[in-house]
């Protein structure tokens, strides 16, 4: 089963017939998501497979994230389990850039997008390694390690730092959030 991609304009025209699954962290989701999207963070996808199989049997699934990278990963996992799903080309970033509606809950706190969190953390660690390295040259190894991690991340299209940052409290769903999402999808 292959993964298909849907352009934002086409997805907007079909939004009423799609079940949209947003695989970003709850904080990213709260910062703005497609209307009607259900938040199911990527690291909870395996537990949601039985529910997603039922949802996909009822109609088309559209998986979204910020840029399309995580949603493509999610679609690949779904395809491995025989569940058809499409990814949104360019993610919510492309969607918003085209001026399409983005839902933001009124009382939601805004969390930086994961990519921004990674850039900030990587930059802060490199800077810390360089500054501390003036007094303790061995600390420059921290900067080298982060640089190596970024190169590896680009070559493999994975991001270990994002996986670590996703575990921080502000990026974590409350246990009931995922359960409530699965219950609403199953209904």
């Amino acid at each position: 089963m292959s993964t298909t991609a849907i352009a934002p304009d086409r997805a907007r025209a079909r939004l009423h017939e799609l079940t949209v699954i947003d695989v970003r962290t709850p904080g990213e989701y709260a910062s703005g998501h497609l209307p009607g999207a259900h938040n199911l963070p990527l690291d909870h996808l395996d537990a949601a497979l039985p529910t997603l199989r039922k949802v996909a049997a009822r109609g088309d699934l559209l998986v979204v994230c910020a840029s399309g990278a995580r949603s493509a990963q999610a679609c690949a996992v779904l395809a491995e389990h025989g569940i058809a799903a499409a990814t949104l080309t360019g993610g919510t970033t492309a969607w918003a850039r085209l001026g399409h509606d983005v839902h933001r809950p009124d009382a939601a706190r805004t969390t930086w997008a994961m990519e921004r969190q990674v850039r900030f953390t990587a930059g802060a660690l490199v800077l810390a390694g360089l500054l501390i390295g003036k007094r303790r040259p061995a600390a420059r190894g921290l900067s080298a390690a982060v640089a190596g991690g970024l190169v590896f991340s680009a070559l493999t299209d994975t991001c270990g730092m994002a996986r670590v940052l996703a575990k921080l409290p502000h990026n974590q769903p409350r246990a009931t959030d995922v359960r409530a999402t699965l219950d609403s999808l199953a209904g």
Side-chain angles (χ1 to χ4, degrees), residues 116-160:
R116 186 176 181 191
Q117 292 181 50
V118 168
R119 288 192 321 255
F120 175 81
T121 304
L125 289 171
V126 168
L127 186 59
L130 292 173
L131 291 175
I132 296 169
K134 286 184 173 187
R135 292 209 179 251
R136 299 195 180 273
R140 292 184 196 140
L142 175 62
S143 298
V146 172
L150 291 171
V151 170
F152 179 80
S153 174
L155 292 174
T156 61
D157 198 24
T158 62
C159 188

Side-chain angles (χ1 to χ4, degrees), residues 3-67:
T3 300
T4 59
I6 299 178
D9 288 332
R10 185 161 179 253
R12 181 174 176 244
R14 295 189 55 213
L15 199 55
H16 64 282
E17 64 189 53
L18 298 169
T19 300
V20 182
I21 306 296
D22 191 320
V23 294
R24 297 176 298 160
T25 67
E28 291 176 290
Y29 173 82
S31 70
H33 55 271
L34 275 66
H38 300 273
N39 186 220
L40 188 58
L42 184 59
D43 58 347
H44 289 80
L45 192 64
D46 287 338
L49 289 171
T51 301
L52 292 175
R53 184 180 317 283
K54 291 175 188 171
V55 171
R58 294 191 307 246
D60 292 337
L61 269 180
L62 176 65
V63 183
V64 302
C65 67
S67 67

Side-chain angles (χ1 to χ4, degrees), residues 75-186:
C75 284
V77 169
L78 293 172
E80 289 173 10
H81 291 88
I83 302 170
T87 183
L88 180 66
T89 304
T92 55
T93 302
W95 177 272
R97 188 175 42 243
L98 290 170
H100 300 321
D101 290 336
V102 176
H103 178 76
R104 290 180 180 87
D106 294 332
R109 64 169 195 229
T110 340
T111 299
W112 287 355
M114 186 56 65
E115 181 183 342
R116 186 176 181 191
Q117 292 181 50
V118 168
R119 288 192 321 255
F120 175 81
T121 304
L125 289 171
V126 168
L127 186 59
L130 292 173
L131 291 175
I132 296 169
K134 286 184 173 187
R135 292 209 179 251
R136 299 195 180 273
R140 292 184 196 140
L142 175 62
S143 298
V146 172
L150 291 171
V151 170
F152 179 80
S153 174
L155 292 174
T156 61
D157 198 24
T158 62
C159 188
M161 189 178 290
R163 285 194 194 118
V164 171
L165 292 173
K167 296 185 184 313
L168 292 175
H170 66 274
N171 286 324
Q172 284 298 304
R174 285 179 241 116
T176 55
D177 289 344
V178 172
R179 176 56 41 213
T181 298
L182 293 175
D183 290 346
S184 72
L185 286 168

